Amino acid sequence: MKSVFIPLLVACLLAATPGLTAPAKPADNATYSELVPPFVLVNADRRDHVSLSGPWHYSVDPYKDGMADFHGKPYDVTKGRGSDVNVEQAMKDDPDVFYEYDLARAPVGTVPSAWIGYSPELRYYNGLMWYQKSFDAPAKTGERQFIRFAAADYKTMVYLNGHRLGEHEGGFTPFSFEVTGLLRPTGNNLVVAVDSERTPESIPTQVTDWETYGGIIRDVTLVTTPKTFIDDDFIRLTTDGHIRADIALEGDSKAGQAVEVSIPALKLTLKGTTDSEGRLSLDTRAPKTLKRWSPDAPTLYDVTVTAGADTLTDRIGFRTIEVKGTQLILNGKPIFLRGISLHEEEFGPNPSRRITPEASRALLTEIKDGLHGNYVRLSHYPHSEITTRMADEMGLLVWSEIPVYWAVKFDNPDTLKTAQRMMAENILRDRNRASIILWSVANETPISDARNQFLTTLAHEAKALDGSRLVSAALLTQTKRVDGHIDITIDDPLIPELDVMAVNTYNGWYGSDKIADVPGTVWHSSFNKPLILSEFGAETMAGVHDPVREGRFSEEYQATYYKDTLAMADKIPFLVGMSPWILKDFRSPRRQNIWQQGWNRKGVESENGQRKMAFFVLSDYYQKKADK
Ligand code: GCB
C-alpha cells in the first residue's frame, strides 16, 4: 500500500464521495491509492538529479497516428508495435529500415516550454506532439531512479527504451515513473507523447479564458534516491504552537527505520522510528526562538530529514493561518490580503509559459514591491514549484487552485477522480510551502446538486490532505436592484464546506450596472465567514487614453472602475482581502477584436510590464492599507 501520510483521507473521501466504493478491508485501500500518485517524491526539485531539460526533438501528429494502426485501432504497445518501436528503428540510422516517424531527425525545441514558442505554425496547434530525447545514465548500483515531469499539458504518455512507462492526465502537476533497471549507461531513448487536446470530461474542458500552452511546460529530471527513501514529509507549525512532522518512507526497509528531523538554527532535533507502513509522526512544542514566517519577515529554516541512507533538505517557513468569525488570522493577528491574480505567463510579447526563477521573480516583484501587495492568487491551476518557492522566499501569501473552471462534467465520476488526483498532486507537492494559505477547489462553477457534491468531495479531500490550511472556491453571485442600489447576497450552497468565501464580481464591466453605481453596492452574507473578492477587473490596452469621455477600453475607464470598486470594497464589513483580475494582460485565444487581439486586457500592466493608470490606483490603495 502507498504510504503517504494521510490518516484521515480514506475515511473522509468515502464519506464524501458517493460514487466511490468502500475498500474490501480497511488496510486494502484501493480508493486511496487511486487518488494519490504512486510516488510523491516530495521535494524532488532539491534532490540529487540530472536535468533532462534542454534540446528535445519534436514532431506534430495532428491525426494521432502514432497512437493507432492505419485503421485507427490503438496499438498494443506491450506487443512491440507502436511509435516507440518506430523511434527505436529510426535511432538505428539504417537506410533500409522503413519508418514514417523519424524523431532523431525532427526539429529541435527547448524543454521546458510550450510548443507555441517553437515555430509560428504551432501558434494555434492543439493536439498530439511527439518528443524525443537521448541521454546517458551511468549505472548506479544500490539506488533507485525516477523520471519526473514537473508538468506537461494536458495528457502525457511516456516510453523509455521501448517500454511504456505509463501516462498522466492533467497539465499542471508533477508525475514520476520509476526507471530503476530500465536505463542503459549510454543512449537512452526517451519518447514522450503530449496531447494538449482536452475533452468535455477534462479538467478544465476545452473552453477557458486563457491560452492552452500545450507541451512539456516544466522541467524533466532523472531523480536518484537510495533503495529506501523519504517519499513524503509534511512539516509545519500547528495552531497550538507545535512543530509537527509526518514522514512516509518507500522501499523494502521502510518499516522500523530510524528517522531524524533537524532544524539546526532552532537547535531542534526530533527522532523516532517508522511503523510497519513506513510512517512516523513527530511533534514538539515550538521553541520560543522560532521566528514565524510572514510577508513582512519571510523567515525560512533549513530543515533536514534523515532516514537510513536518505537525507532530504528543505527550506521551510513556520506560520499559522486560521479563521475566527469573519476574520482571517495569520500568526494570531488579523490580516488583510492585499493581492492580485496571476496567470502562469512570463512578461514579454511572445510568452510560452517558461517560468524560470528570473521570470517568476519579475512577476512577483511587481506585486510585492510595485503594488505593495502581500498576497497572490495563482490562477487558475497549480503554478510551477519555482513560483511557490519564490513566494516563500519573497514573502507573498498564496491562493493555490485546481482548474475546476466553469462547467466541467460534474456528474461524471471519472471527471471527479481526475480533479481529485490533481488536488492530491498539488497539495502533496506544496504542503511544506508556508506561503500557501488557501487551497481553492473551483472557479465560477454553475450551481447544481451534482456540482455541490463534486466540490464538497474536493473540499473534504483538501482538508484531509492538509488540515493546516484553509479551503475556498471562487464563486458567483446574483446582483439585484433594490431601492435604487445594487444588492448582492452571498448564498452559494457550497459555502458551509468552505473556510473562506470568495466571489468574482464584475459590476461596472460586464452586465448593465453603471460604474458610478458600484460604490453604493450593498453586500449581504448570512454566513459568519470572511470574504475575499477573488476577482474584479476591467479592460484597457496600455496607452489608450480617453480622459474626457472615459470610454471602455481606455486607461481612464479602468482606473475609475478600480477607484469605484475599491470604494465598494471598503464598505464590506466581512472582507479580508482581494485579488483583482489581473497583474498583466494574458493570452486568450477567444478574445479576437481590435482592443484585445487575442489577449485578455484586464491586466493592470500590459503583457510587457507597462503599468497602466489602474496599477497606480491599486498600488496607492494597498500602500495606505499597509501603513495602517
Ligand atoms: C472570470 C474568470 C477569468 C476570466 C475573467 C474575465 O470571472 O474567472 O478566468 O478571465 O472572468 O476576464 O472575464
Side-chain angles (χ1 to χ4, degrees):
M1 190 188 103
K2 186 79 200 69
S3 63
V4 173
F5 199 95
I6 313 172
L8 281 177
L9 179 60
V10 179
C12 290
L13 291 180
L14 291 175
T17 313
L20 299 180
T21 49
K25 50 185 174 21
D28 173 16
N29 208 334
T31 305
Y32 164 87
S33 54
E34 253 183 324
L35 300 180
V36 297
F39 298 103
V40 177
L41 275 182
V42 71
N43 222 359
D45 53 333
R46 291 177 59 100
R47 271 194 178 276
D48 182 17
H49 69 255
V50 173
S51 173
L52 299 180
S53 296
W56 285 56
H57 293 286
Y58 68 91
S59 175
V60 281
D61 187 0
Y63 292 167
K64 304 190 186 184
D65 204 30
M67 289 289 172
D69 73 8
F70 81 115
H71 284 151
K73 200 162 146 250
Y75 278 128
D76 181 353
V77 284
T78 57
K79 294 205 175 114
R81 305 195 57 211
S83 50
D84 52 328
V85 176
N86 250 324
V87 170
E88 285 290 287
Q89 288 171 346
M91 294 299 290
K92 286 186 188 136
D93 208 15
D94 177 347
D96 292 333
V97 171
F98 174 72
Y99 50 82
E100 285 160 340
Y101 290 91
D102 189 356
L103 290 179
R105 292 174 189 80
V108 170
T110 300
V111 166
S113 167
W115 60 60
I116 196 172
Y118 292 171
S119 81
E121 291 79 47
L122 292 174
R123 171 65 189 88
Y124 286 111
Y125 182 64
N126 199 5
L128 187 65
M129 179 74 83
W130 290 92
Y131 287 88
Q132 191 272 342
K133 170 98 181 162
S134 300
F135 64 96
D136 298 341
K140 298 220 174 195
T141 43
E143 297 195 316
R144 294 172 73 172
Q145 285 167 306
F146 300 84
I147 291 183
R148 178 181 191 260
F149 292 78
D153 196 358
Y154 172 76
K155 195 167 179 186
T156 309
M157 285 66 55
V158 184
Y159 309 85
L160 176 71
N161 298 335
H163 298 271
R164 187 176 198 274
L165 297 179
E167 65 180 55
H168 177 263
E169 179 170 356
F172 305 99
T173 46
F175 52 98
S176 319
F177 301 103
E178 180 156 16
V179 294
T180 313
L182 297 177
L183 290 165
R184 304 167 183 151
T186 56
N188 288 283
N189 183 25
L190 181 59
V191 174
V192 178
V194 180
D195 192 348
S196 68
E197 195 177 355
R198 298 174 307 227
T199 68
E201 286 73 35
S202 307
I203 304 281
T205 60
Q206 295 105 321
V207 178
T208 61
D209 190 20
W210 71 85
E211 179 72 49
T212 303
Y213 281 110
I216 305 179
I217 55 167
R218 297 187 194 148
D219 274 324
V220 187
T221 48
L222 179 62
V223 177
T224 302
T225 71
K227 278 230 176 312
T228 294
F229 64 95
I230 304 151
D231 187 41
D232 190 22
D233 63 31
F234 180 21
I235 301 169
R236 72 261 183 213
L237 182 66
T238 60
T239 46
D240 60 358
H242 283 228
I243 289 182
R244 189 182 160 98
D246 294 323
I247 314 288
L249 308 186
E250 271 297 322
D252 290 346
S253 328
K254 67 182 180 185
Q257 183 67 249
V259 175
E260 199 174 290
V261 177
S262 69
I263 310 175
L266 293 175
K267 300 194 174 55
L268 192 72
T269 303
L270 302 172
K271 290 182 182 177
T273 305
T274 54
D275 65 11
S276 59
E277 302 287 343
R279 300 190 306 207
L280 167 70
S281 291
L282 298 164
D283 192 289
T284 187
R285 178 156 282 289
K288 291 211 167 51
T289 50
L290 175 75
K291 292 193 183 117
R292 293 180 177 219
W293 184 100
S294 74
D296 290 337
T299 309
L300 298 176
Y301 288 93
D302 286 319
V303 178
T304 303
V305 183
T306 313
D310 200 16
T311 300
L312 210 49
T313 60
D314 203 349
R315 304 258 304 145
I316 297 182
F318 295 94
R319 53 103 195 95
T320 57
I321 188 77
E322 294 164 275
V323 157
K324 284 206 179 118
T326 59
Q327 287 188 320
L328 188 63
I329 309 285
L330 179 78
N331 295 327
K333 290 194 203 116
I335 184 160
F336 188 88
L337 303 174
R338 308 186 307 272
I340 197 149
S341 300
L342 184 71
H343 263 296
E344 183 167 68
E345 207 180 73
E346 69 275 27
F347 281 121
N350 267 314
S352 57
R353 197 159 273 168
R354 292 196 64 191
I355 297 299
T356 58
E358 297 71 36
S360 179
R361 188 181 287 281
L363 291 161
L364 298 190
T365 301
E366 285 303 286
I367 301 173
K368 177 96 187 176
D369 299 347
L371 288 174
H372 308 286
N374 61 6
Y375 169 66
V376 59
R377 175 182 179 193
L378 298 181
S379 44
H380 277 301
Y381 37 74
H383 286 217
S384 164
E385 55 212 329
I386 291 173
T387 298
T388 52
R389 284 196 184 278
M390 192 64 76
D392 263 16
E393 191 191 304
M394 290 175 59
L396 277 171
L397 296 159
V398 168
W399 157 303
S400 170
E401 79 188 79
I402 54 167
V404 178
Y405 182 88
W406 294 347
V408 307
K409 290 263 184 205
F410 290 114
D411 54 0
N412 183 324
D414 290 335
T415 301
L416 175 60
K417 266 192 213 153
T418 304
Q420 287 185 274
R421 281 191 205 109
M422 275 181 201
M423 171 78 86
E425 289 165 357
N426 187 32
I427 294 180
L428 294 176
R429 188 194 76 176
D430 265 0
R431 60 185 176 167
N432 290 319
R433 300 285 69 82
S435 50
I436 299 176
I437 52 169
L438 285 152
W439 300 120
S440 168
V441 298
N443 180 74
E444 289 189 350
T445 47
I447 295 169
S448 70
D449 287 349
R451 170 273 198 182
N452 299 343
Q453 228 167 51
F454 188 105
L455 298 187
T456 298
T457 304
L458 291 176
H460 289 191
E461 178 180 337
K463 279 283 175 201
L465 287 163
D466 179 4
S468 77
R469 287 184 176 78
L470 308 172
V471 174
S472 192
L475 307 172
L476 290 164
T477 51
Q478 299 292 333
T479 63
K480 278 189 298 195
R481 282 248 150 213
V482 176
D483 301 332
H485 69 261
I486 305 172
D487 206 73
I488 300 184
T489 301
I490 308 171
D491 56 3
D492 191 305
L494 185 68
I495 292 173
E497 307 301 333
L498 307 177
D499 300 307
V500 175
M501 308 185 289
V503 169
N504 296 350
T505 175
Y506 282 93
N507 278 342
W509 181 252
Y510 296 126
S512 54
D513 291 320
K514 296 259 174 317
I515 197 167
D517 290 339
V518 170
T521 308
V522 180
W523 286 73
H524 309 270
S525 152
S526 48
F527 302 94
N528 185 29
K529 297 192 179 200
L531 172 72
I532 294 173
L533 291 180
S534 37
E535 286 180 31
F536 60 82
E539 303 204 28
T540 174
M541 216 164 162
V544 172
H545 290 283
D546 183 6
V548 178
R549 214 175 53 93
E550 293 202 355
R552 278 173 186 262
F553 287 102
S554 69
E555 286 206 31
E556 285 76 8
Y557 187 100
Q558 192 194 36
T560 300
Y561 169 94
Y562 263 76
K563 278 181 205 141
D564 287 348
T565 306
L566 295 171
M568 172 192 82
D570 282 338
K571 294 186 205 138
I572 309 175
F574 41 92
L575 189 73
V576 296
M578 54 177 76
S579 47
W581 196 251
I582 184 168
L583 178 69
K584 73 163 195 78
D585 294 352
F586 60 95
R587 272 185 166 145
S588 177
R590 69 200 278 270
R591 294 182 181 268
Q592 302 291 347
N593 56 62
I594 52 155
W595 298 113
Q596 296 173 305
Q597 300 171 354
W599 296 78
N600 182 314
R601 301 251 176 234
K602 294 193 189 69
V604 291
E605 297 188 359
S606 72
E607 66 273 31
N608 294 322
Q610 184 183 336
R611 295 172 176 181
K612 305 178 188 175
M613 287 167 69
F615 181 97
F616 299 99
V617 174
L618 188 63
S619 168
D620 288 351
Y621 180 80
Y622 281 164
Q623 184 162 28
K624 282 184 195 124
K625 280 235 174 250
D627 290 343
K628 266 188 196 160

